Structures are given as structure tokens and as C-alpha cells.
Amino acid sequence: MQATKEVTKEASDYVAAFHEQAESQRGKMPAWVEDLRGRAIEHFEMVGFPTTDVEDYKYTNVAPIARGNFQPASEAQAKNLIDGQTLERFVYPEAKRSRLAFVNGIFSSELSAIENLPDRVVVTELREALGGEYADLVRGYLARGAETSGDDAFTSLNTAFLSSGAFLLFRRNVSVEQPIHLLFLSTSSGAEKPIAAFPRVLVLAETGSEATVIEEHTAINDGDVYFSSPVVEIYVDDEARLTHYKVQRESSGAFHVAQTRAEVGRGSRYDSTTVTLGAALARHNINMQLRAEGSESWIDGLYIVDTGQHADTHSLINHRAAHCVSHQAYKGILDGKSRGVFNGRIFVHPGAQQTDAYQSNKNLILSNEARVDTKPQLEIFADDVKCSHGATVGQLNEEELFYLTSRGLQPELARNLLTYGFAEAIVQKIKVESIKRQLDEAILNRLHARLEA
Amino acid sequence: MLEIKNLHASIDGNEILRGISLTVNAGEVHAIMGPNGSGKSTLSKVLAGHPAYEVTEGEILFEGKDLLELDPDERAREGIFLAFQYPVEVPGVSNAQFLRLAYNEKMKHTGGEELDPLEFKDYLSERAKIVEMDASFMSRSVNEGFSGGEKKRNEILQMAVLQPKLAMLDETDSGLDIDALRIVSGGVNKLRSEDKGIILVTHYQRILNYIIPDFVHVLYKGRIARSGGKELALELEEKGYDWLKDAARETALAGAR
Ligand SMILES: Nc1ncnc2c1ncn2[C@@H]1O[C@H](COP(=O)(O)OP(=O)(O)OP(=O)(O)O)[C@@H](O)[C@H]1O
Ligand SMILES: [Mg+2]
């Protein structure tokens, strides 16, 4: 029996909010969901928010979140915060009719548009799926990751406040052309206290299916303070292919703590690219389970931060079966007084022979005040494997800058071009033009557009 | 077009150029030779404006303007070009993208017409013929993974695209195979004209058979030890640089007396 930790004041605020919400919502959710949520809040109550004494949170202090007095969003609160015109700014033309939109983690049918998707593709609100036709399926998968890898405080918190989210189901052999855009908009405007949003996403890609999912987290107003803490659970079945983009461009005042869990099956392909641009404090936990032979996964990312931003990626890739490939390339560009953290673990379990695992983390520091802590780790319990990892932290090279300026490029353009070149390997694998454009506009000084047009 | 007067330059407090005077008129080709470490690349980099070098004395006029007042990019847009002895790799940026950016920056400055990617592609493939460079190099990242010789050829391609008034070629011939040397030299000759000047740094007489210089200068310990016509290169090829050391010793002795 584990010793029960004393519940801190910060944690108890959430526990109180939970009980208040549970009271008002009693009977609205299926019993098994209420059970799940109840167990989650108990777990959260037991573990509490992690402190910097915990190895995994050594460089990332979540005390501001714990003390932030955030109020879990409610349906009533999230209503009518944004109109159709404001929404236009956030619409991806590629996913004009395949979008689920959420405000503060709560589904908004007015802002969503789902039309003309192939049969046997289900794109719906999670809340609905908990009760209807897919209830058994959802029940079989939701929060299953907790059993295999344990839960941290934030995942438990999300489960405890689970009330809305997305359920995506790609049936056997179906292939969807248009990307599914999950648009998570957050704002504390009009709320008494800063808002906490806990959206949940469950993606099931059945055998032989093929789809692209864009998970985007953004703010209605920049500078807004709120806490957004999504949990995304992904199951890619045998021979299925899933492309997953996570675009995090939260408000500069926001806190973002996200979990991505993906379990991939035999001969499947999972290709993820995470773009981290926003939030004052961002933490992304990635947990990959390669559970059957012959799968290939790409877990790539680009984080670009400036003064006042802290971006932390913690990833754990479990090779549990033989003949699997995992390829992870993470790049960071840090300017001003910013901080980056990358902690990547590859765990090759006994029997996972012929594993091919590659991991790299490269950082470009553009100021003397930026700082990066990077730690790639390999733990290998099989003898016939090909694993490599590496990390670099560097600055723009003076000789390269001189070379470019000696061809007539202004120094600033030369710096931008080198920065662009640094990021290019990740940028070029993004196949959704709108994401590329966002990156370009936000960060790369429109260099991509300039180079292409 | 270029007047260098009593140029002294140092790096990290070490004086490398110790009083160089050199005039290059439009239409002329000047070859600069001299032993390793004599300051040839330093001179080229100082002309291009490398920030690591400090000019402690003397002046450089380019078309009557004080070159030392200009930043490297301004010099380039004014028409100065350096083909690097060791070209730098720029990952993630294609040759074509980079060259178009540089070309358009220059056009903006000179009031010429900027080109869009398609127009530039045509222009680039036409210029690439000058150095017989394959189109596949245009979509590759600048110099990344290029062989030594390919990098040198790429430098001359850049020169062909930017059409500078004054080009300094720092050992462009080193690393080129025999055929490449002929092709690249031929390219440089095509870019030669009445209104352009070339400073060609080399260790070998061979390239001067293709690009025939009007003047040859020998740099030694940061000074021009001797100047002459193209026959000086032949003489150096035969005699090496030992005589320079003797001459320098004599000058020193003369100074002591
Ligand atoms: N940072 C530095 N501090 C001190 N000396 C330096 C520094 N950088 C270069 N030098 C010296 O300056 C001298 C001139 O170098 P430079 O590269 O101009 O020679 P070079 O004539 O081009 O030689 P090569 O024929 O080998 O290319 C060399 O002796 C070199 O070691
Ligand atoms: Mg040299």
C-alpha cells in the first residue's frame, strides 16, 4: 500500500472543484465514466502536482499552474465566446469541412463543420460517443494507457474533469483524404477566474485505415492567461497509417501541459510532427508503445521560443516488439530569455530484436540568455539492435553569416535564412500548407513564402 | 576601380597585412601568388569585409568610394564578390533559393528587375551553362555534401549569377580536376570584360595558362614583395619562393645597417 501524501492546498482546490462539478452533473454521464473520473481524482489527490524534486520535473516548475487558481471550464462558461467571423481566422482551408472545434475544451457544434467524410469514418464529440453506438468501443480504449504506463498528475486531472473532447474512428481499410482538424481554442475572457481546459481525444485507426489528424491548440486573444491540459490517446492498428500534427500556439500567457499516447500495431505507420510556438510554460509528454512487429514511427518536433517562454518535451518510446523502427528528430530554436528542455528515452524491451531506433535533438540558440537542457537516453535490453542518439546546442555560425552577407544579404536576412535552414528538415515534412504558412508567418519572417514566390 | 593604399590589417591583435598597395583597373586581371600563410586569403576577406579583421592603417577605394565604410552585404551589392577558398555549407536552403534571394537583393539595390522563381529558374539554367553545372545542383542545399571541386565550381556559378564588378577568386583552382579547371577557367573568361576587374589568388601557374593575367604579384609576410607581368608566374614556378626569403633577409640586413 502506497503512503498517502498529504494533499496540498493547490491540489485540494481541484478536488473541491471536482466534487462540485460531479454533484451538478450527477447522472449525466454513464456510470463507468463517473467511476473512471472518480478514480482519477483519487489518484490525483494522492500524487498531487509534481515538484522540481521529481526527476521528470527537475527543469520545469509547474508551481505556477498549481497556484494559478484556475477554474475548470464549464459548458455554460464556454458558450458564445466566439463568433463565426472570429472563427475564420482559425479555419484551415484543407480542413474546411472536417473540423471539430472546442472552446476551453468544450465542444462547439456551431464552430464545427463535418461534411462529406467517407462512410465508416466517425468524427464526433467524445461526450456523445460515451453513451451511444460506440460506447463499448470507447470504453475499451479510453484511459487504457493508464494501465500500461501509469498516470501522472496531469493525466489524472484531465480524466477527472473529462466532459468533452473528440472521438475519431477510422474503420477497417478506410482512407480519408482531407485532414481532420481538431481546433482547441481557449480564452479566459468573461470568466471570473482564469480557465482550465481539459480536452480529451481518442483516435482509433483500425486495420488498414489511413488518415491525417491535426490537433491545434490556440488562443482567441494573445496574452490571455489560462491553463490547457489535453490528453490525446491514439491507437493505430495493424497496417494502418496515421499522420498526426500537433500545433501548439497557445497565448503567450498560457500554460499548456499535454499528453500524447500512441500505441501502434503490426506493420503500421505513425508519423507525428509537433510544432511548439506558444505558451509561457509548455510541457509535452509523449508516450509511444510499439507493441507489434514491423511498425514504423516518426516522432518529430520543432519548438521555437522567445523571451518568457519555457518549452519542455519529455518522450518515452517503448520498443516492445521486434523489427520496429522509430525515428525521432526534435529541433529547437531559442531566442531572448527562453528555456528549452528535451528529455527523450528510448526503451528497447527484451525480445525487441532488430529494433532500429534513432533519436536526435538539435538546438539553435539565438541569444546569450536562452538556455537548453537536453538529455537523450537509450535503455536497451535486446542484443541485436541498431540504436543511435545525439544532442547538440549551438549558435549561428559566424563564417556562415559572413558567407551569406558577402553575397549581398542583409545581416538580418542572413540570420533568418540560416535559422530557416536549421528548421527546414522538420518544416518540409509538414504536408499541410496552412501549418507551414503559420510557422512561416509567426516565426520565420515569411521567408518560406519569400523563397517560394 | 580598386585602389588599396598602404593597407594594414590584423586579426586577434596579430598584424597579417603589413602595408599593401595595389591598384586594379577595370578590365584587368591581377594574379596574387605567394607562400602559405603570406596573407592572400586575409587580403581577400578584408576586401569583402570579414568582421574578424581589423584594418589598422591605410585605405581602400572602390570606384572612388571608401570601401571600409561599407558592411559586407553593402559591398556585395556594390559589386564586390569573393569566391571563397573554403566555401561554407548552408543546410536547408537550396542553391536556387539562395541565389535568387541574393540576386533580387542586388537588383533591389541597383534598380534592376527582380525575378520570380520561374523567371529565375530560366536565368539560372542559362548562367549554369557558363560553368557547365548540372541542374540537379540547383535544388540541393548550398554546398551541402558537394565535393571540394563542386564547391569551387558553385562559387563561380554564383559569380556568374551576381555578375560582380570586382571578383576575387581565392584559390578557385585548388581541388579542381583537369577538365573542371578548363571548364571553370573558361567560365571565368566568359565573365571577363572591359568593365570588370578580377583578382585571382593561386598557387599554380597552370590556371594562368587559361586565365591570362595582366599582372602578377607576389605576397610575402603581408607585403607585396614583387610585381610583374605574366612571366613572373613562370619564374616562380621554376624558382619557388626561396629567393623571397633571401631578399627579405637582405632587406632586413640593409635596414640594420
Ligand atoms: N586568428 C588568427 N590569429 C593569428 N593568426 C592568424 C589568425 N587567423 C589567421 N592567421 C594567420 O594569418 C596568416 C595569413 O593567413 P591567410 O589565410 O591569409 O594565408 P594565405 O596566404 O591565404 O595562405 P594559403 O596559401 O595557405 O591559403 C597565417 O599565418 C595565419 O596563420
Ligand atoms: Mg588562402
Side-chain angles (χ1 to χ4, degrees):
Chain A
M1 177 85 199
Q2 242 174 312
T4 319
K5 223 172 90 172
E6 202 186 318
V7 182
T8 60
K9 152 89 179 55
E10 289 84 14
S12 63
D13 277 352
Y14 284 94
V15 176
F18 170 84
H19 289 298
E20 201 177 301
Q21 224 190 55
E23 202 52 53
S24 69
Q25 289 184 350
R26 192 166 302 284
K28 285 189 189 160
M29 294 261 194
W32 68 269
V33 180
E34 284 187 357
D35 268 5
L36 185 69
R37 293 179 46 170
R39 270 179 279 132
I41 198 72
E42 271 172 32
H43 183 255
F44 171 73
E45 210 169 347
M46 189 178 77
V47 295
F49 284 106
T51 64
T52 49
D53 296 338
V54 179
E55 181 63 27
D56 263 357
Y57 283 84
K58 194 167 137 194
Y59 300 115
T60 297
N61 185 0
V62 300
I65 298 174
R67 286 196 309 260
N69 204 11
F70 294 102
Q71 176 76 42
S74 67
E75 226 158 295
Q77 186 275 330
K79 266 216 170 78
N80 302 327
L81 285 172
I82 121 161
D83 55 27
Q85 205 178 343
T86 313
L87 177 78
E88 281 306 307
R89 270 179 24 222
F90 300 97
V91 170
Y92 283 166
E94 297 90 339
K96 225 176 156 51
R97 292 185 181 78
S98 49
R99 177 184 66 253
L100 289 184
F102 302 80
V103 177
N104 294 343
I106 313 277
F107 177 68
S108 161
S109 64
E110 301 86 64
L111 303 177
S112 301
I114 298 292
E115 286 166 42
N116 299 329
L117 286 179
D119 287 348
R120 296 181 302 123
V121 170
V122 178
V123 175
T124 178
E125 191 201 357
L126 179 64
R127 171 77 165 271
E128 244 164 60
L130 294 174
E133 165 181 12
Y134 306 105
D136 286 345
L137 199 57
V138 172
R139 187 175 179 174
Y141 285 98
L142 196 68
R144 199 168 88 174
E147 284 148 35
T148 48
S149 43
D151 259 344
D152 77 343
F154 292 100
T155 309
S156 297
L157 207 51
N158 177 288
T159 304
F161 287 98
L162 189 150
S163 63
S164 192
F167 173 59
L168 311 185
L169 172 62
F170 306 104
R171 287 292 200 191
R172 213 168 237 278
N173 295 329
V174 76
S175 159
V176 201
E177 194 119 338
Q178 57 271 57
I180 312 294
H181 185 189
L182 304 178
L183 175 61
F184 296 98
L185 293 157
S186 292
T187 178
S188 287
S189 83
E192 264 168 54
K193 294 180 187 172
I195 285 298
F198 296 106
R200 186 78 168 215
V201 176
L202 178 62
V203 180
L204 306 180
E206 290 188 351
T207 301
S209 63
E210 203 172 331
T212 298
V213 176
I214 305 166
E215 172 202 351
E216 185 188 15
H217 301 272
T218 187
I220 298 171
N221 311 304
D222 194 37
D224 212 349
V225 177
Y226 57 83
F227 169 41
S228 119
S229 193
V231 172
V232 175
E233 296 171 283
I234 294 169
Y235 295 88
V236 186
D237 236 319
D238 299 352
E239 307 295 332
R241 286 162 176 249
L242 189 78
T243 305
H244 177 198
Y245 298 101
K246 177 179 181 234
V247 181
Q248 190 272 90
R249 35 184 213 122
E250 303 273 23
S251 151
S252 57
F255 299 87
H256 176 94
V257 179
Q259 323 289 326
T260 303
R261 288 187 168 164
E263 204 177 299
V264 300
R266 186 179 309 276
S268 63
R269 286 171 69 123
Y270 172 67
D271 185 346
S272 73
T273 311
T274 298
V275 176
T276 299
L277 305 174
L281 189 154
R283 163 75 174 233
H284 186 200
N285 294 325
I286 299 168
N287 187 308
M288 288 285 311
Q289 305 285 345
L290 281 53
R291 65 167 161 75
E293 292 196 2
S295 68
E296 288 182 25
S297 298
W298 283 263
I299 309 102
D300 299 327
L302 177 63
Y303 45 96
I304 306 180
V305 287
D306 206 334
T307 297
Q309 290 188 279
H310 177 115
D312 174 352
T313 301
H314 262 64
S315 107
L316 169 61
I317 297 167
N318 283 291
H319 279 261
R320 292 187 184 275
H323 297 282
C324 289
V325 177
S326 73
H327 190 285
Q328 183 171 37
Y330 257 73
K331 288 195 163 189
I333 299 171
L334 299 101
D335 204 347
K337 202 168 151 68
S338 63
R339 179 92 180 260
V341 180
F342 178 84
N343 184 297
R345 262 172 80 202
I346 297 175
F347 202 107
V348 181
H349 292 255
Q353 302 296 8
Q354 303 279 316
T355 284
D356 182 350
Y358 166 85
Q359 179 179 64
S360 94
N361 174 236
K362 293 186 178 156
N363 296 279
L364 177 60
I365 307 269
L366 299 175
S367 93
N368 293 328
E369 291 177 303
R371 180 174 161 185
V372 174
D373 291 285
T374 172
K375 190 172 166 197
Q377 303 168 75
L378 286 173
E379 282 161 78
I380 303 173
F381 297 94
D383 51 20
D384 182 15
V385 300
K386 198 174 102 193
C387 295
S388 66
H389 68 169
T392 61
V393 179
Q395 294 180 317
L396 286 182
N397 180 305
E398 286 299 323
E399 291 306 315
E400 291 175 11
L401 277 173
F402 175 61
Y403 188 69
L404 298 187
T405 51
S406 82
R407 297 301 183 246
L409 307 193
Q410 324 256 6
E412 188 177 321
L413 179 57
R415 274 193 290 275
N416 285 341
L417 194 67
L418 289 178
T419 308
Y420 170 89
F422 175 81
E424 171 61 12
I426 309 289
V427 176
Q428 61 95 18
K429 80 178 276 258
I430 298 174
K431 299 289 178 266
V432 179
E433 268 310 309
S434 298
I435 301 177
K436 262 193 185 162
R437 198 161 341 106
Q438 275 176 350
L439 254 178
D440 204 32
E441 285 183 11
I443 303 301
L444 299 170
N445 300 289
R446 298 168 202 270
L447 211 53
H448 177 68
R450 210 170 143 185
L451 291 173
E452 302 286 317
Chain B
M1 74 179 357
L2 180 75
E3 255 182 290
I4 305 172
K5 294 180 199 161
N6 188 32
L7 181 68
H8 289 252
S10 45
I11 182 164
D12 301 335
N14 304 295
E15 185 165 68
I16 311 292
L17 303 185
R18 303 187 298 155
I20 289 187
S21 297
L22 177 68
T23 300
V24 178
N25 295 308
E28 293 176 353
V29 173
H30 290 244
I32 295 185
M33 304 182 79
N36 295 131
S38 56
K40 303 181 297 296
S41 294
T42 303
L43 176 63
S44 315
K45 285 192 239 174
V46 168
L47 286 170
H50 195 294
Y53 297 91
E54 193 197 345
V55 173
T56 51
E57 215 183 314
E59 62 175 341
I60 308 174
L61 298 178
F62 179 62
E63 296 186 314
K65 275 182 229 155
D66 181 359
L67 201 62
L68 297 173
E69 286 286 294
L70 302 180
D71 289 336
D73 55 310
E74 296 171 321
R75 296 183 196 192
R77 293 193 298 268
E78 286 291 330
I80 297 233
F81 180 87
L82 167 61
F84 283 60
Q85 181 173 2
Y86 304 109
V88 172
E89 301 190 359
V90 189
V93 180
S94 81
N95 233 351
Q97 289 174 329
F98 167 55
L99 280 171
R100 191 171 71 91
L101 218 49
Y103 179 84
N104 283 345
E105 283 298 301
K106 184 165 181 184
M107 288 302 120
K108 231 181 268 173
H109 179 73
T110 55
E113 194 193 339
E114 295 184 45
L115 300 180
D116 69 27
L118 277 179
E119 292 166 337
F120 188 75
K121 198 174 170 227
D122 291 344
Y123 173 70
L124 184 58
S125 63
E126 178 230 315
R127 301 310 279 173
K129 282 186 203 140
I130 294 176
V131 286
E132 298 183 22
M133 212 157 149
D134 195 81
S136 65
F137 286 98
M138 308 311 152
S139 53
R140 281 173 63 180
S141 291
V142 181
N143 292 329
E144 197 184 29
F146 286 26
S147 76
E150 287 164 354
K151 282 181 185 168
K152 296 302 183 68
R153 196 186 288 225
N154 201 29
E155 292 292 284
I156 303 305
L157 169 68
Q158 297 185 27
M159 175 181 165
V161 166
L162 297 172
Q163 308 201 39
K165 292 180 195 154
L166 176 72
M168 300 160 303
L169 314 183
D170 192 358
E171 292 197 31
T172 299
D173 54 339
S174 306
L176 292 178
D177 68 43
I178 298 159
D179 290 335
L181 180 65
R182 185 174 39 76
I183 292 162
V184 170
S185 307
V188 173
N189 281 330
K190 280 180 210 147
L191 297 169
R192 227 174 135 163
S193 76
E194 278 307 301
D195 56 350
K196 295 199 162 84
I198 293 176
I199 296 174
L200 197 154
V201 174
T202 183
H203 285 295
Y204 307 106
Q205 202 275 328
R206 183 190 274 272
I207 190 173
L208 303 180
N209 289 336
Y210 296 105
I211 306 170
I212 297 166
D214 301 294
F215 301 93
V216 174
H217 310 277
V218 182
L219 208 62
Y220 184 64
K221 293 194 170 166
R223 290 198 184 97
I224 292 183
R226 231 179 115 181
S227 295
K230 61 176 191 285
E231 58 301 330
L232 178 56
L234 289 165
E235 196 185 324
L236 292 172
E237 184 99 337
E238 203 177 299
K239 296 204 301 195
Y241 293 117
D242 271 353
W243 59 272
L244 271 174
K245 289 167 196 157
D246 300 341
R249 202 177 305 122
E250 266 165 42
T251 329
L253 284 174
R257 273 200 293 267

